Amino acid sequence: MGGPVARTNDSVPVAVDREVPGLIVKFGDYPLHHGGVGAIRSLGRLGVPMYAITEDRYTPAALSRHLTGAFPWPTTGAERPERLVEGLLRVARRIGRPTVLIPTDEEAAVLIAEHQEPLGDAGFLFPRVEPELPRRLASKQGLHELCVEHGVASPAAAFPESLGDIEEFAATAVFPVVAKNREAFTRRSRPAVNGTTRIETPEGLLGLARDWGTRPGVILQEYLPREQAEDWIVHAYFDVDSTPLAMFTGVKVRSWPPHAGMTANAYVVDNPELVDLTARFIKQIGFTGIIDLDLRFDRRDGQYKLLDFNPRMGAQFRLFESESGIDVVRAMHLHLTGRPVPEGEQRAGHRYVVENIDLPALLAYRRSGYTTPHAPARASGTELAWLAADDMKPFFTMLARFVRPGAKHLYQLWRTNRRGSATS
């Protein structure tokens, strides 16, 4: 199989195999996912046939001009794994040729890793990894234990097993603290919080805990003061020897909910120390594939503390592209199809903006007075998550679908954080 040299928007040659499609794999009901649209555009612009699992036929991803075909398949992420595997096998038969799997959430990444044999036999291509590793990395408790095991800094954390544990924690902890859902899949079926939630007081924690049941699926984590911290991102792709074929670092300027959620605005910033730290950790744990890391630099002790490890493509991955036209999704497709991955420096100073969440984030950050010292004074270029001159339908579809449910979702995230801030 072969294919001609394709070019990126900046006319950088990338030799892709156009005979091998890509498939966006997602489980759960989140139709406004800019990361999936970004992956469809990234490979689709190079002439790679792109397919996607979508909630329905009218999601932004389903209407991208770079999409060859959508497979409408409403899921919650709480289905039995066997049912999800059966669905993927049906998709494989419909595509009918080897296809690169591109998971966009933890549930998809974990499912692929734990069912490599049937999915590989069906013709799917994906990085081969120790089957239990992605689940452990996606678990907040599993990640914390790996950090302790390998000497990687992370916030202090507690893993309560009962309401009594939470009451005991509340009596002695230093507040504020951060609550997160502990496990992949469980966050879909029995979420304790809507997202990363800052809790200001013991009373606020106990108020939230009343809704968590007898076995709360949360991690309670040390809060790193935003006045003394800076949020960093690492995206990379590693081969079977845990050697980085593409690695990028950047700084998060704004997120939604503020200081604790999805990236809304970020810049590419060179950080050799973070590159070395990440490469060592990946080598120690033996991971293969795409990673999306969130770290917080704590100025109080000068350490980068690992907050989240996503063993899959991150929603903001299009922030990062090398001067040779490589992002992590292109690197994976090239590697899995036996093509070399061109080397190249990252585009320092490049900016990424997620239009539908950056405006509320901007307003919130202006009130807080938070600044990001390492953010460049001026961007060398900007990529928007939704708006693209060669692919307009996803942007307008996002607007149409965002107005009511999107605003409601933002409000729910904000209310959850406000509840955690409440005092009795």
Side-chain angles (χ1 to χ4, degrees), residues 114-182:
E114 293 180 350
H115 298 84
Q116 295 180 53
E117 185 174 347
L119 295 176
D121 290 345
F124 285 129
L125 305 176
F126 46 85
R128 298 302 177 120
V129 66
E130 195 68 30
E132 66 274 8
L133 185 56
R135 184 182 287 271
R136 192 175 183 193
L137 292 168
S139 160
K140 300 300 184 276
Q141 181 170 352
L143 176 61
H144 181 77
E145 292 169 350
L146 281 169
C147 286
V148 172
E149 180 181 343
H150 295 288
V152 174
S154 65
F159 309 96
E161 297 293 340
S162 66
L163 181 59
D165 288 346
I166 294 175
E167 291 172 343
E168 183 177 337
F169 175 87
T172 59
V174 176
F175 284 78
V177 297
V178 173
K180 299 178 181 179
N181 292 304
R182 193 184 303 188

Side-chain angles (χ1 to χ4, degrees), residues 39-60:
I40 291 166
R41 289 169 173 169
S42 178
L43 289 174
R45 285 169 178 154
L46 302 183
V48 174
M50 292 300 296
Y51 297 89
I53 293 170
T54 63
E55 289 79 358
D56 55 63
R57 295 189 180 279
Y58 302 101
T59 69

Side-chain angles (χ1 to χ4, degrees), residues 202-262:
E203 295 80 10
L205 171 59
L206 294 175
L208 286 174
R210 294 188 189 102
D211 298 330
W212 293 346
T214 56
R215 293 185 61 83
V218 297
I219 170 178
L220 299 173
Q221 202 172 61
E222 169 195 9
Y223 173 70
L224 304 179
R226 61 175 180 256
E227 299 81 7
Q228 299 294 329
E230 192 172 42
D231 290 328
W232 286 81
I233 312 164
V234 178
H235 286 211
Y237 178 77
F238 290 83
D239 68 9
V240 291
D241 297 320
S242 298
T243 299
L245 300 184
M247 187 181 291
F248 307 94
T249 59
V251 67
K252 188 185 298 188
V253 176
R254 290 187 288 274
S255 60
W256 187 265
H259 309 286
M262 180 178 292

Side-chain angles (χ1 to χ4, degrees), residues 21 60 68 81-82 93-94 112 174 209 248 332 357 365 378 381 411 417:
T68 302
E82 295 79 9
R93 289 192 291 270
R94 292 181 64 182
I112 293 167
V174 176
F248 307 94
M332 181 171 69
I357 61 174
Y365 276 68
R378 178 178 295 180
Y411 173 72
N417 280 272

